[in-house]
Amino acid sequence: MLGAPGAGKGTQADILAGEMSLPHIASGNLLREAVEKKTELGLLAQSYMERGELVPDELIIKMILQRIALPDCASGGVLDGFPRTLAQAEALDKGLGDKGKSIDKAVYLKLSRKELLKRLSGRWLCRNCQTPYHLITAPPRVAGKCDKCGGELYQREDDKEETIKERLKIFFAQTVPIIDYYRRQDKLIEVNGNQGIAEVARELMTSLRGKAK
Ligand code: AMP
């Protein structure tokens, strides 16, 4: 699942993973968990995340390859937030190729910059299960509480205005090239992300089914 910060990758990856009964693997969630638990990876990653910068490729590649080697990924998975650089995309192809597997499809959720800024500024996350909410477009049923698990909702440190600008800049410089990488492999599906959650999910499923091999 490719897209700028605030594009709705987490929400759509969650829906897609549910529809396909596959695990949802979100690099940002795995990193935030590591930071919270103060693991070695968490301590190394924290300062990059706070500045809105990308965590070094070698750390994130190792983390994801270890995660997708777990038994729940035997039939596949929905990757969200990874890969974000060409080096990561190539390392993922190599890691999967070594196991006789490959990426089936890359979904790009495309949104205008204006819409991205609007979404990021109202975003809240569950501290427990990481489900995303939005104050205006997707509020929880009970203010401050997660609909799924009752966990406490919080705003991410890196959703502050200055950090958001840095994250968007990095997306356009470093992640946009991998959209072309998947386009050249004829694996890219572009979805108009400037719509409501249900409309995006419908467009995504229709495109995936239409292009399923
Ligand atoms: P996200 O929740 O996907 O917005 O990720 C939050 C932060 O985690 C990013 O701003 C990066 O600092 C780091 N991060 C997540 N995924 C990656 C990745 N694939 N490569 C490098 N850094 C990442």
Side-chain angles (χ1 to χ4, degrees), residues 31-92:
L31 287 172
R32 279 185 289 279
E33 261 170 46
V35 170
E36 188 106 339
K37 289 188 188 144
K38 298 191 166 52
T39 65
E40 196 185 336
L41 169 68
L43 294 174
L44 288 168
Q46 189 167 15
S47 61
Y48 296 95
M49 296 172 74
E50 282 169 358
R51 291 194 297 270
E53 293 170 11
L54 294 184
V55 168
D57 283 336
E58 62 272 19
L59 290 181
I60 195 95
I61 289 167
K62 189 169 157 214
M63 177 188 87
I64 291 288
L65 292 182
Q66 279 174 354
R67 175 63 189 87
I68 63 181
L70 295 181
D72 65 332
C73 292
S75 307
V78 180
L79 283 172
D80 156 18
F82 181 93
R84 258 170 154 106
T85 64
L86 262 182
Q88 292 178 18
E90 286 165 359
L92 178 63

Side-chain angles (χ1 to χ4, degrees), residues 15 36 40 49 101 103 109 117 121 141 146 159 190:
I15 296 174
E36 188 106 339
E40 196 185 336
M49 296 172 74
K101 296 181 177 182
I103 289 288
L109 293 178
L117 288 170
S121 57
R141 282 195 292 272
C146 177
D159 278 349
E190 271 189 54

Side-chain angles (χ1 to χ4, degrees), residues 119-206:
R119 291 192 185 187
L120 283 165
S121 57
R123 177 157 86 169
W124 289 73
L125 276 188
C126 172
R127 204 177 279 290
N128 183 40
C129 73
Q130 310 266 351
T131 297
Y133 294 89
H134 190 278
L135 281 188
I136 298 165
T137 55
R141 282 195 292 272
V142 177
K145 287 228 175 313
C146 177
D147 291 353
K148 286 194 187 162
C149 73
E152 176 206 4
L153 303 188
Y154 78 109
Q155 268 199 305
R156 276 170 51 171
E157 266 301 301
D158 60 352
D159 278 349
K160 285 179 300 202
E161 201 179 330
E162 272 317 298
T163 324
I164 286 174
K165 285 194 185 138
E166 181 62 21
R167 289 163 62 212
L168 286 176
K169 204 167 88 192
I170 289 175
F171 169 74
F172 288 106
Q174 304 209 41
T175 308
V176 165
I178 68 174
I179 293 167
D180 268 335
Y181 176 83
Y182 290 115
R183 188 178 285 121
R184 284 196 299 274
Q185 295 182 20
D186 199 24
K187 292 185 173 172
L188 191 74
I189 290 176
E190 271 189 54
V191 175
N192 173 14
N194 299 291
Q195 317 176 74
I197 294 173
E199 288 75 23
V200 175
R202 208 172 305 126
E203 188 178 320
L204 199 165
M205 285 314 294
T206 308

